[in-house]
Amino acid sequence: HVLQINDDSVVKSAEIQDFWRPVYQSTALARGKFSTEQYIHMFCDVWQQYSAKNDCNFNDFEAICFHLPYTKMGLKALRAGFEANSCASLTDDTRERLLARYQDSTQYSRRIGNIYTGSLYLGLISLLDYDYFRNFDYSSESAGDSSVSYDSSITGDLSSGTHTNESPSSPLLPGQKIGLFSYGSGAVAEFFSATLVPDWRSALFSNRHLKALNNRTQLSVSQYEEMFNSAAPYSPQDFVSSQENRSGAQFVLDSITSQERHYRSI
């Protein structure tokens, strides 16, 4: 209903110990600067292979979304791609457009933080939603939810705040191609593309997304630590999850018995 995934994927893997979690602990070990360098290197490699395989360049893309552990990482990779010799055909209009679209794709990550594998798709949703906020005809029904009407206080001024580049000059359109870069430490990288389909905006839930973010409750440090430490341990023993902090949840991990997880809806 939103986009078509194209059969043009390019994948690369390499043995790179940049970020990993030992079997004996629940927190990861990381080589931060090294990991960022490898992320950029892997992007440039898969992009070069992708562009050669599919006979295309950056000018063929309306936007590119990235795996976003933090919002500047994808920007560093995109700029490195621009500087590569293979991008001599890059136009100024394309550069400005991709940078502006990139800013749209980072808006939700700035508010939510790193969600690992899902961060690429959070970026895609952010890109599409912010295009909708900027260009949708608010006199008609809200995208994906006729019960929610547009409220300008939800988004504020879309050209200010965290938007450090000029806003895109035109809306996203059916038939336009979006590039997607996925990355996992260890390491594996993939570049593929998707094409927007007709009437794609009607399948979004843009206002609902922002209202959910705006209705969150801010936690104190002690509240956060209590919630964080109540997570299921890496242990064979049975476990019953806390009854606290379930407000607003749709599904919860209720218990673990005989090493089997039991979830339930609320």
Side-chain angles (χ1 to χ4, degrees):
H1 297 294
V2 176
L3 45 77
Q4 173 183 310
I5 303 295
N6 299 315
D7 185 18
D8 58 4
S9 171
V10 169
V11 179
K12 178 181 179 179
S13 62
E15 185 176 352
I16 300 171
Q17 298 300 323
D18 60 330
F19 185 100
W20 73 101
R21 187 176 66 200
V23 295
Y24 57 83
Q25 66 182 56
S26 59
T27 55
L29 302 178
R31 298 185 176 107
K33 182 179 180 181
F34 177 69
S35 184
T36 298
E37 292 170 348
Q38 297 308 308
Y39 174 104
I40 295 171
H41 179 70
M42 294 284 271
F43 170 74
C44 290
D45 277 0
V46 294
W47 166 253
Q48 185 176 29
Q49 294 176 43
Y50 177 91
S51 59
K53 174 185 174 182
N54 296 284
D55 190 25
C56 63
N57 56 50
F58 282 126
N59 300 316
D60 297 307
F61 290 86
E62 185 64 22
I64 297 178
C65 296
F66 288 79
H67 170 72
L68 293 174
Y70 59 91
T71 56
K72 283 189 178 181
M73 185 175 260
L75 182 60
K76 292 178 180 179
L78 183 60
R79 285 173 171 166
F82 288 164
E83 294 171 1
N85 292 332
S86 60
C87 296
S89 61
L90 178 69
T91 68
D92 290 340
D93 286 346
T94 294
R95 181 190 297 269
E96 292 174 5
R97 180 183 70 251
L98 293 180
L99 289 173
R101 298 284 190 205
Y102 178 83
Q103 293 300 324
D104 279 356
S105 76
T106 65
Q107 296 308 304
Y108 285 166
S109 293
R110 293 177 187 277
R111 300 189 64 180
I112 294 172
N114 184 13
I115 59 171
Y116 293 86
T117 302
S119 68
L120 168 61
Y121 304 98
L122 180 66
L124 175 62
I125 293 170
S126 181
L127 170 72
L128 300 179
D129 279 357
Y130 271 76
D131 176 84
Y132 161 72
F133 295 138
R134 186 177 293 106
N135 297 294
F136 191 77
D137 179 3
Y138 296 114
S139 63
S140 61
E141 291 182 344
S142 297
D145 187 356
S146 60
S147 66
V148 179
S149 59
Y150 173 68
D151 180 357
S152 62
S153 66
I154 295 175
T155 58
D157 182 1
L158 292 177
S159 64
S160 62
T162 56
H163 280 246
T164 57
N165 292 70
E166 292 296 326
S167 299
S169 58
S170 59
L172 293 168
L173 300 172
Q176 290 179 334
K177 187 183 293 186
I178 298 173
L180 299 114
F181 174 67
S182 185
Y183 179 82
S185 292
V188 62
E190 179 179 14
F191 192 95
F192 59 105
S193 73
T195 302
L196 290 168
V197 302
D199 200 30
W200 60 271
R201 284 190 181 87
S202 66
L204 300 182
F205 296 89
S206 306
N207 286 323
R208 189 182 297 182
H209 292 158
L210 265 187
K211 285 199 171 185
L213 287 174
N214 291 344
N215 289 336
R216 293 182 298 176
T217 300
Q218 185 172 353
L219 301 179
S220 66
V221 172
S222 61
Q223 287 174 316
Y224 172 80
E225 289 177 341
E226 187 277 327
M227 185 182 294
F228 183 86
N229 291 325
S230 69
Y234 283 81
S235 168
Q237 282 73 41
D238 289 353
F239 168 80
V240 177
S241 67
S242 170
Q243 298 296 311
E244 303 293 330
N245 306 314
R246 292 188 174 190
S247 176
Q250 292 182 308
F251 302 95
V252 297
L253 171 63
D254 198 48
S255 63
I256 301 175
T257 56
S258 300
Q259 302 184 46
E260 295 181 357
R261 290 175 171 247
H262 302 283
Y263 297 88
R264 72 180 182 90
S265 60
I266 296 180

